[in-house]
Amino acid sequence: MPLFLKPIFHEKVWGGSKLQQFGYHLPDEHIGECWGISAHPNGKSEILNGPYAGQTLDQVWNDHRELFGEFPSKDFPLMAKIVDAEAPLSIHVHPDDSYAYENENGQYGKSECWYIIEAEEDAEITIGTKASSREEFEQQIKEGKFQENLRKIKVKPGDFYFIPAGTIHSIGAGIMAYETMQSSDVSYRVYDYDRKLNNNEQRTLNVSKALDVMEYSSELPNIVPQNEVIENHNCTHVVSNDFFTIVKWEISGTLNYMKPREFCLISVLEGNGKIIIDGEIFEIEKGTNFVLTSEDLDSVFEGDFTLIISYI
């Protein structure tokens, strides 16, 4: 039986209210993130169905590892969320696994991939810097010139971008993005537009740690999604690396789905229909997030919808 999950909402100074379009009831008008699938301590998804209803994903991961093919990692390895950037996110960077393990209480580092759901005209993201070394970037910070040396990219709905750990980046205003990432909540901010929290304090910057983990490359991280048609449905293979594999499915009709690994994370970004697993029918719609487990052997999708499926 798949594990259907209750979304978790995080208020952000840059957040908005567009996540309502997924059928979510938002607790605040400045919701920046919906954690759709998460076992992270800062947001544990609650299971909505079956024998584990009411438990959190991390509990089931720890107590019933057989549902995940006895996956050897101590912690659930992936997270899926939707970001609504009414204002730009901070300019920040994430550490890799080794740095996070040593400096962030054994957490994962964070490599991530973005799928652009919505983007206003001329909306842009930041990926990388033109600085070629720590010394050069640090000097640009001191001179107040580092922002003009960041790489900006205009985006449109349907675009994918891979953000490896160590890459300075930001999502700009007017963008909604679906993120698949390592299960981590570690960010080192370099700049945050001098914004203040509700208590009138400025959000913390982490420039020293950011400089420790930043990578400097003359080229942008590059992925080239590959499209193919399977059973008359469009399948886009986005990225596959040591951290995750991501596939986008645009389904219209019936798809007999063969699960590629012991467990998969699935989010419905558009449309509605159902998934039939071992003869049992489950309705799914825009905003549904769930995990297929090792027990879910025969899966059939029926309907018209767009899915993002990720796995190790």
Side-chain angles (χ1 to χ4, degrees), residues 129-138 151 166 210-219:
T129 173
K130 298 172 187 175
S132 59
S133 67
R134 174 175 179 151
E135 291 74 23
E136 183 180 356
F137 188 76
E138 198 165 7
R151 293 193 178 98
L211 290 169
D212 284 346
V213 304
M214 275 183 60
E215 298 287 343
Y216 303 91
S217 173
S218 59
E219 297 181 358

Side-chain angles (χ1 to χ4, degrees), residues 272-276 281-284 300-305:
N272 62 79
K274 58 190 175 183
I275 181 172
I276 306 167
I281 299 174
F282 302 91
E283 301 293 330
I284 58 176
V300 179
F301 289 103
E302 290 186 1
D304 291 280
F305 35 66

Side-chain angles (χ1 to χ4, degrees), residues 49-294:
N49 66 304
Y52 309 110
Q55 296 185 40
T56 55
L57 183 56
D58 65 310
Q59 287 179 288
V60 177
W61 173 263
N62 291 328
D63 297 340
H64 298 281
R65 194 62 64 88
E66 71 278 2
L67 295 176
F68 308 92
E70 303 294 346
F71 193 84
S73 172
K74 180 176 78 74
D75 300 314
F76 191 80
L78 296 178
M79 183 190 300
K81 65 185 181 184
I82 303 173
V83 172
D84 174 17
E86 185 172 87
L89 277 64
S90 64
I91 308 296
H92 61 280
V93 63
H94 305 301
D96 62 15
D97 285 344
S98 60
Y99 189 93
Y101 185 84
E102 291 292 334
N103 296 277
E104 303 294 344
N105 300 314
Q107 283 203 62
Y108 287 116
K110 190 196 286 191
S111 289
E112 59 191 5
C113 186
W114 302 340
Y115 171 66
I116 307 300
I117 300 172
E118 292 184 3
E120 295 177 2
E121 187 175 358
D122 293 328
E124 59 185 16
I125 59 175
T126 297
I127 304 180
T129 173
K130 298 172 187 175
S132 59
S133 67
R134 174 175 179 151
E135 291 74 23
E136 183 180 356
F137 188 76
E138 198 165 7
Q139 185 62 33
Q140 291 174 357
I141 292 177
K142 290 177 181 177
E143 296 175 356
K145 297 179 178 179
F146 83 95
Q147 289 191 74
E148 60 197 64
N149 287 286
L150 298 173
R151 293 193 178 98
K152 307 283 188 178
I153 302 172
K154 293 191 187 310
V155 299
K156 63 184 185 301
D159 289 347
F160 283 99
Y161 296 93
F162 175 50
I163 316 295
T167 305
I168 192 166
H169 62 279
S170 176
I171 294 175
I175 294 173
M176 181 182 292
Y178 180 86
E179 293 189 2
T180 302
M181 68 201 70
Q182 293 179 269
S183 182
S184 174
D185 197 28
V186 180
S187 295
Y188 300 145
R189 299 188 193 100
V190 175
Y191 180 69
D192 193 42
Y193 306 93
D194 299 318
R195 290 182 291 209
K196 295 182 179 180
L197 300 170
N198 292 334
N199 60 7
N200 213 34
E201 290 185 3
Q202 288 188 342
R203 295 209 298 173
T204 304
L205 299 182
N206 321 94
V207 177
S208 178
K209 286 186 173 180
L211 290 169
D212 284 346
V213 304
M214 275 183 60
E215 298 287 343
Y216 303 91
S217 173
S218 59
E219 297 181 358
L220 289 170
N222 186 39
I223 55 172
V224 181
Q226 302 294 319
N227 295 301
E228 66 173 322
V229 176
I230 300 176
E231 295 184 25
N232 296 317
H233 310 288
N234 192 50
C235 175
T236 304
H237 302 273
V238 179
V239 63
S240 187
N241 52 44
D242 291 341
F243 308 111
F244 41 64
T245 292
I246 299 170
V247 182
K248 175 187 174 187
W249 281 92
E250 296 168 277
I251 297 170
S252 181
T254 301
L255 171 68
N256 296 289
Y257 182 68
M258 182 174 294
K259 192 167 80 276
R261 286 300 302 268
E262 294 83 352
F263 68 99
C264 299
L265 286 61
I266 302 181
S267 296
V268 184
L269 299 188
E270 286 290 345
N272 62 79
K274 58 190 175 183
I275 181 172
I276 306 167
I277 298 177
D278 301 326
E280 190 169 1
I281 299 174
F282 302 91
E283 301 293 330
I284 58 176
E285 61 184 1
K286 181 177 180 176
T288 301
N289 301 282
F290 59 101
V291 176
L292 288 181
T293 73
S294 61

